Amino acid sequence: MNQGVIITLPKSDDVTEYLSVFSKPIIDECSKQNIKLKKLEKDKANRSDFEKLLKSIDYKMIIFNGHGSVNEILGHKNKELISAGKNDSLLTNRITYSRSCYSLQGVGNSSMKNNTDGCFIGYKIPFMFLIDLTHVTNPSKDNIAKIFFETSNLIPITIIKGNSVKEAHDNSRKSMLRAIKSAIKKKNKDSEAIAETLWNNYLAQGLVGNFNATLR
């Protein structure tokens, strides 16, 4: 496999808009580390374009942003990208980070059945984030949402820097604990909700496969 990253960036509702906007630090880190990157943006985040791209460049790391279920990872306008038992073997022996609800349970476990070199990081229950409604039309200015994306972005960013998947998982979870403590100390109207949502993500996040897998 070739050293490189494929990232999906659907933008068909508020959730996918936020996921895509806050993926910019991941994209910037690829540039900084001279890691090749291919983006599937908006309507290009569909199964056909994803499979064609993966077969043509064979990159080792895949980052999914979007809605999901136990058996599916979805793209633009909730169109199927990966389904357990159908095309999830495309992820075998690759490093996958799926920022989508429930995907670790079905797709993650199924894609890693015959795996030796790859790893899947995802969520056993929904990945959650809060937003500031005054910035819903300009997510990059939303400092509440930023808390949840800074902690989750640490997963791909740590891997892109050359560290193992296990180190990335641990870095992200430690960051969530720090963010929880910070939110509680502030004692403002959002503190409790922020801490509870971060704790949800802390418990939800997991990995399956080769924990020592690296991109480089």
Side-chain angles (χ1 to χ4, degrees), residues 193-205:
I194 289 171
E196 288 179 352
T197 306
L198 284 166
W199 184 242
N200 170 87
N201 293 346
Y202 181 89
L203 295 176
Q205 187 175 298

Side-chain angles (χ1 to χ4, degrees), residues 97 121 123 151-159 168-169 172 205:
Y97 172 49
I121 305 180
Y123 299 90
T151 53
S152 58
N153 278 347
L154 267 180
I155 296 170
I157 287 174
T158 301
I159 295 168
H169 172 64
S172 175
Q205 187 175 298

Side-chain angles (χ1 to χ4, degrees), residues 176-204:
M176 282 188 264
L177 292 178
R178 290 193 297 269
I180 288 169
K181 290 179 182 178
S182 177
I184 292 171
K185 283 181 180 179
K186 288 180 180 177
K187 296 181 179 179
N188 60 33
K189 63 181 179 65
D190 299 312
S191 293
E192 185 175 345
I194 289 171
E196 288 179 352
T197 306
L198 284 166
W199 184 242
N200 170 87
N201 293 346
Y202 181 89
L203 295 176

Side-chain angles (χ1 to χ4, degrees), residues 1 60 91-96 111-112 114-121 165 207-214:
M1 293 182 187
K60 187 175 182 180
L91 308 182
T92 304
N93 291 320
R94 302 182 196 277
I95 295 171
T96 301
S111 67
M112 293 291 112
N114 300 309
N115 170 79
T116 56
D117 299 325
C119 192
F120 187 105
I121 305 180
V165 172
L207 64 169
V208 60
N210 178 6
F211 294 1
N212 295 316
T214 62

Side-chain angles (χ1 to χ4, degrees), residues 71-113:
N71 292 313
E72 290 183 322
I73 297 173
L74 306 175
H76 194 66
K77 292 186 177 179
N78 294 335
K79 292 182 179 178
E80 171 194 308
L81 278 173
I82 294 288
S83 290
K86 290 184 180 179
N87 65 341
D88 58 330
S89 62
L90 292 170
L91 308 182
T92 304
N93 291 320
R94 302 182 196 277
I95 295 171
T96 301
Y97 172 49
S98 178
R99 190 153 50 188
S100 56
C101 299
Y102 299 107
S103 57
L104 181 66
Q105 289 190 48
V107 175
N109 286 312
S110 179
S111 67
M112 293 291 112
K113 279 184 180 177

